[in-house]
Amino acid sequence: MIGLIVKTDGSIEEFTYTGYQSLSNAVGGLIECIASARCPETDLQYDLWGNEEGRIRGRTDSNFKNNFVAQKITAHMTETPITGLLSLHGTHVVLGVSDEGDSVGLSDYLLDTLKTLAVSPEEAKKHEDEYSEPFTHFRGFY
């Protein structure tokens, strides 16, 4: 099954999913679903997976830099401005979801569409040290 691997260097490549272990290896540890959406063009549900400790490890582990492209994908999936999202750290994977809830390959449409969100290594580097907490901007009670 073919999905996409989203790297911190700004690249997006095809990823062969063979089960939990392949996903765990790709994200560097324990996995969590970051976002889930349904593609209006194909009606296929798809998920973005990351390391559940990515934000914590992003403070001290150079393998868990902010993944600007994963943020762009989340913004695309959730129709949320990127400025309203938490930073996402480390490598991420995008996979489709079957009607039974199993991970499956992505449609050609999603493969092609999501690949357009990749950025140059220079652009990714500009964002690698970001650690955003948009929900901490509190204006108080009215």
Side-chain angles (χ1 to χ4, degrees), residues 56 66 76 102 129:
I56 295 167
N66 181 47
H76 174 81
D102 296 321
D129 292 327

Side-chain angles (χ1 to χ4, degrees), residues 128-141:
E128 71 182 18
D129 292 327
E130 291 176 2
Y131 198 92
S132 56
E133 300 282 354
F135 307 117
T136 61
H137 302 287
F138 178 67
R139 295 183 195 257
F141 294 103

Side-chain angles (χ1 to χ4, degrees), residues 89-120:
H89 299 264
T91 300
H92 288 69
V93 172
V94 184
L95 293 169
V97 181
S98 73
D99 291 338
E100 293 79 34
D102 296 321
S103 292
V104 297
L106 292 171
S107 66
D108 289 340
Y109 176 85
L110 279 170
L111 286 169
D112 294 340
T113 299
L114 295 176
K115 284 179 185 178
T116 67
L117 299 176
V119 299
S120 69

Side-chain angles (χ1 to χ4, degrees), residues 53-66 89-90 128-131:
E53 297 176 331
R55 285 184 53 73
I56 295 167
R57 292 173 71 183
R59 293 280 194 193
T60 59
D61 187 335
S62 64
N63 292 319
F64 286 86
K65 297 174 180 150
N66 181 47
H89 299 264
E128 71 182 18
D129 292 327
E130 291 176 2
Y131 198 92

Side-chain angles (χ1 to χ4, degrees), residues 26-38:
V27 301
L30 301 173
I31 62 169
E32 73 172 327
C33 185
I34 306 298
S36 187
R38 187 163 298 277

Side-chain angles (χ1 to χ4, degrees), residues 17-107:
Y17 173 73
T18 58
Y20 174 85
Q21 195 60 52
S22 67
L23 185 54
S24 177
N25 290 344
V27 301
L30 301 173
I31 62 169
E32 73 172 327
C33 185
I34 306 298
S36 187
R38 187 163 298 277
C39 175
E41 289 79 9
T42 65
D43 202 38
L44 175 69
Q45 183 176 331
Y46 61 112
D47 294 334
L48 176 69
W49 296 91
N51 185 304
E52 74 174 34
E53 297 176 331
R55 285 184 53 73
I56 295 167
R57 292 173 71 183
R59 293 280 194 193
T60 59
D61 187 335
S62 64
N63 292 319
F64 286 86
K65 297 174 180 150
N66 181 47
N67 191 325
F68 181 62
V69 176
Q71 286 182 285
K72 286 180 64 175
I73 290 172
T74 303
H76 174 81
M77 293 172 79
T78 62
E79 299 179 349
T80 302
I82 200 165
T83 56
L85 298 173
L86 292 170
S87 52
L88 297 173
H89 299 264
T91 300
H92 288 69
V93 172
V94 184
L95 293 169
V97 181
S98 73
D99 291 338
E100 293 79 34
D102 296 321
S103 292
V104 297
L106 292 171
S107 66

